[in-house]
Amino acid sequence: AQSVTQLGSHVSVSEGALVLLRCNYSSSVPPYLFWYVQYPNQGLQLLLKYTTGATLVKGINGFEAEFKKSETSFHLTKPSAHMSDAAEYFCAVSDSYGNNRLAFGKGNQVVVIP
Amino acid sequence: EAEVAQSPRYKITEKSQAVAFWCDPISGHATLYWYRQILGQGPELLVQFQDESVVDDSQLPKDRFSAERLKGVDSTLKIQPAELGDSAMYLCASSRRQYEQYFGPGTRLTVT
């Protein structure tokens, strides 16, 4: 079974500072990895995904993530936080063999301090 | 841009009552998913459809939950009877390709 670990349910970051959200996964097969963002009382929006190829993936709103197989990690970063980045962020994993079932982490609630 | 539609957005029901949620996926998306998201946690898959067929309902509490997608387009998720622990956000998603799921806005269920 696949799983994702996201540590630190709440993350506070100053406006303009680096945003770093950590994600470690467990998978017995090559994984597909995703980051989603969720605003209050809304559905999930895909930020970025890794399937194959380049391990540094760029997404929307200035976010990027790097797949590191040796560390089983897929950490999300953004160089400079904006007030609009305040939201909940979820890392998810699925397998690459056609199952397409997403296993989500518990999420990180990001608070941006002016 | 096409979106996944869900209704109602909010639902309050009493314990032991029946409740139903509706989802209309993006046109052309053959795969449809229902997730449950408890406050403070990530979404958990309840059921996955490929066209009108269920391909995964291993996490669906079948004693009280049912889901259907009769014509392979829109879908209904039903809970009967509702319990206090069913209070959650119910999310619908759809996909055409293997690794891109698009989520609807969700239905927030409160059971009193």
Side-chain angles (χ1 to χ4, degrees):
Chain A
Q2 298 165 299
S3 65
V4 162
T5 300
Q6 292 180 250
L7 296 178
S9 60
H10 285 76
V11 176
S12 294
V13 59
S14 297
E15 190 175 15
L18 172 72
V19 179
L20 170 61
L21 302 180
R22 299 180 187 274
C23 172
N24 288 90
Y25 69 90
S26 174
S27 178
S28 57
V29 300
Y32 287 166
L33 294 158
F34 309 81
W35 276 98
Y36 285 87
V37 62
Q38 185 177 34
Y39 297 98
N41 290 314
Q42 294 188 26
L44 279 69
Q45 180 183 9
L46 181 66
L47 276 177
L48 48 78
K49 63 182 183 288
Y50 168 79
T51 54
T52 57
T55 57
L56 182 62
V57 179
K58 295 185 184 299
I60 62 172
N61 301 340
F63 285 93
E64 64 180 37
E66 186 171 12
F67 170 60
K68 293 187 177 180
K69 184 179 178 181
S70 61
E71 299 177 8
T72 60
S73 69
F74 190 58
H75 301 333
L76 180 72
T77 61
K78 181 175 179 177
S80 177
H82 191 272
M83 295 300 294
S84 61
D85 295 326
E88 192 152 21
Y89 293 79
F90 293 94
C91 182
V93 62
S94 70
D95 70 59
S96 53
Y97 291 172
N99 179 291
N100 210 29
R101 176 175 179 166
L102 285 174
F104 285 87
K106 292 187 175 181
N108 293 120
Q109 183 68 51
V110 171
V111 175
V112 181
I113 302 168
Chain B
E1 181 176 301
E3 296 179 343
V4 176
Q6 289 188 248
S7 67
R9 292 293 312 276
Y10 303 90
K11 180 70 177 179
I12 300 174
T13 191
E14 293 182 349
K15 185 175 62 172
S16 79
Q17 294 298 303
V19 63
F21 315 127
W22 177 79
C23 172
D24 190 12
I26 294 172
S27 178
H29 284 196
T31 311
L32 184 147
Y33 314 78
W34 283 103
Y35 290 85
R36 178 171 60 185
Q37 184 181 18
I38 296 171
L39 190 64
Q41 297 186 21
E44 176 189 31
L45 180 70
L46 291 175
V47 60
Q48 177 180 341
F49 289 91
Q50 182 67 31
D51 299 310
E52 66 275 9
S53 300
V54 173
V55 297
D56 186 350
D57 64 355
S58 57
Q59 301 302 311
L60 188 71
K62 298 181 187 61
D63 57 335
R64 298 185 300 107
F65 285 64
S66 64
E68 61 182 16
R69 194 184 183 197
L70 293 177
K71 298 183 179 179
V73 181
D74 59 339
S75 175
T76 301
L77 178 69
K78 297 178 181 178
I79 308 175
Q80 182 174 17
E83 296 180 353
L84 295 177
D86 296 331
S87 294
M89 175 79 90
Y90 290 84
L91 295 164
C92 179
S94 69
S95 69
R96 181 173 57 195
R97 290 186 290 178
Q98 177 184 357
Y99 44 79
E100 289 188 12
Q101 294 187 26
Y102 295 85
F103 284 79
T107 297
R108 170 75 67 187
L109 173 66
T110 301
V111 182
T112 63

